[in-house]
């Protein structure tokens, strides 16, 4: 069988997650691929340009925000034909809203092998900025990652008000410009109270990171007050509140595979 190192020697094209923003939050593998690339196609203003400092002299660098899918693919094909390595650098982890499937399918059709290196998603960066845990005992054990319908539709069953009815922890991408509609959908759902804690995290982990804590009812007002119009996540749920139960994992009364609990019958 071909091991990973041997396989990598056959692959010249890589999709790489850049991480949420801070340049030292890219993975070691991702950084090594960037440093070795002959061609880098990066996702515009969403990727911290400091990461491009890892590129070697003479590396061709393209901003995909100015390109169509066809232009991106043609650039990859040209580099492949020339025997050069390409890194397609996406923000966060490209498995979320990265538009990578259409690129991968095209490369598959062309018989061009590629690899996919994950990154730290901005929803993880937002939790870190908030010093928060999305899943708290007796509060929420589910995280819903979604977006508000705008110019790009969402499936009918995934309308924001329908998902919000669960009252679970919610992380809303690509929707800060529709914050009034987000607020309305969250309140209409019945899953969240007007005073349910919420927050807006602008450019999580970037030097200019900003955190705005609010409630569902004040979400739109506080977003406007702080001048946030793009590149921000909306997070909602009682995980941002004060009340939760202690985890069983470290409860002295709870027996685990590695520790005998003190509670009778454990």
């Amino acid at each position: 069988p071909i091991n990973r190192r041997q396989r990598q020697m056959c692959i010249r094209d890589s999709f790489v997650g850049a991480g949420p923003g801070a340049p030292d939050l890219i993975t070691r593998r991702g950084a090594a691929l960037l440093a070795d690339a002959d061609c880098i196609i990066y996702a515009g203003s969403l990727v911290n340009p400091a990461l491009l400092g890892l590129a070697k002299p003479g590396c061709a660098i393209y901003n995909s925000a100015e390109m169509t899918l066809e232009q991106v693919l043609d650039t990859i094909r040209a580099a492949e034909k020339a025997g050069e390595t390409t890194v397609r650098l996406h923000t966060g982890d490209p498995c979320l809203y990265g538009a990578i499937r259409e690129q991968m399918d095209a490369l598959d059709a062309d018989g061009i092998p590629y690899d996919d290196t994950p990154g730290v998603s901005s929803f993880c960066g937002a939790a870190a900025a908030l010093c928060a845990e999305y899943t708290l005992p007796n509060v929420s054990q589910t995280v819903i990652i979604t977006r508000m319908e705008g110019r790009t539709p969402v499936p009918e069953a995934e309308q924001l008000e329908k998902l919000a009815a669960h009252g679970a922890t919610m992380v809303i991408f690509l929707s800060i410009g529709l914050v009034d509609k987000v607020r309305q959908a969250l309140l209409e759902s019945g899953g969240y109270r007007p005073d349910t804690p919420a927050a807006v995290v602008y450019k999580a982990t970037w030097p200019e990171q900003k955190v705005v804590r609010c409630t569902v009812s004040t979400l739109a007002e506080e977003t406007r007050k702080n001048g946030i119009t793009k590149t921000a996540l909306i997070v909602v749920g009682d995980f941002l509140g004060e009340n939760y139960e202690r985890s069983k994992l470290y409860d002295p009364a709870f027996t685990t595979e590695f520790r005998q609990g003190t509670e009778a019958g454990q």
Side-chain angles (χ1 to χ4, degrees):
I2 297 176
N3 62 33
R4 176 175 174 80
R5 180 174 177 80
Q6 290 171 322
R7 182 170 180 269
Q8 283 297 107
M9 292 175 66
C10 303
I11 295 175
R12 291 191 288 265
D13 302 294
S14 299
F15 292 86
V16 174
D24 57 348
L25 284 178
I26 191 171
T27 65
R28 292 174 62 183
R29 181 186 299 174
L33 288 167
L34 271 184
D36 187 57
D38 300 305
C39 172
I40 296 171
I41 308 171
Y42 74 102
S45 62
L46 298 175
V47 169
N48 191 331
L51 285 167
L52 301 178
L54 296 174
K56 65 186 179 184
C59 177
I61 298 177
Y62 300 87
N63 179 356
S64 66
E66 302 167 351
M67 305 167 74
T68 64
L69 171 63
E70 289 73 18
Q71 290 171 324
V72 168
L73 292 169
D74 284 345
T75 301
I76 295 174
R77 291 170 182 139
E80 175 73 16
K81 187 175 181 179
E84 297 177 338
T85 59
T86 298
V87 164
R88 182 68 173 98
L89 188 64
H90 283 269
T91 184
D93 187 307
C95 74
L96 292 174
Y97 307 109
I100 59 171
R101 172 66 184 271
E102 58 200 29
Q103 299 173 69
M104 291 177 170
D105 284 350
L107 295 180
D108 286 340
D110 288 345
I112 297 175
Y114 54 84
D115 199 3
D116 187 9
T117 296
V120 178
S121 172
S122 59
F123 87 89
C124 299
L130 291 162
C131 295
E133 180 182 348
Y134 287 137
T135 53
L136 291 176
N138 205 35
V139 174
S140 176
Q141 295 291 288
T142 301
V143 181
I144 298 175
I145 297 172
T146 190
R147 55 180 292 276
M148 183 76 198
E149 183 173 51
R151 292 172 61 191
T152 302
V154 301
E156 174 67 25
E158 296 180 19
Q159 298 288 327
L160 188 60
E161 57 270 22
K162 294 181 180 179
L163 295 179
H166 294 285
T169 296
M170 183 172 285
V171 183
I172 306 171
F173 279 69
L174 304 169
S175 303
I176 200 66
L178 300 168
V179 66
D180 286 291
K181 291 183 178 180
V182 170
R183 174 188 176 278
Q184 181 179 353
L186 295 177
L187 290 175
E188 284 180 355
S189 72
Y192 301 111
R193 309 173 310 278
D195 66 347
T196 298
V200 174
V201 182
Y202 171 75
K203 285 200 167 184
T205 80
W206 291 61
E208 55 266 50
Q209 171 184 289
K210 180 186 288 188
V211 173
V212 177
R213 294 179 183 267
C214 55
T215 64
V216 171
S217 65
T218 62
L219 178 60
E221 175 188 352
E222 291 299 320
T223 298
R224 281 193 292 271
K225 185 185 299 183
N226 284 274
I228 298 174
T229 59
K230 60 181 180 179
T231 326
L233 292 182
I234 300 168
V235 295
V236 181
D238 283 320
F239 76 96
L240 289 168
E242 299 296 326
N243 299 317
Y244 65 96
E245 290 186 0
R246 176 174 170 168
S247 169
K248 296 291 188 184
L249 182 60
Y250 301 110
D251 187 332
F254 192 73
T255 296
T256 72
E257 178 184 357
F258 306 100
R259 188 186 68 246
Q260 178 62 47
T262 59
E263 186 174 282
Q266 287 281 332

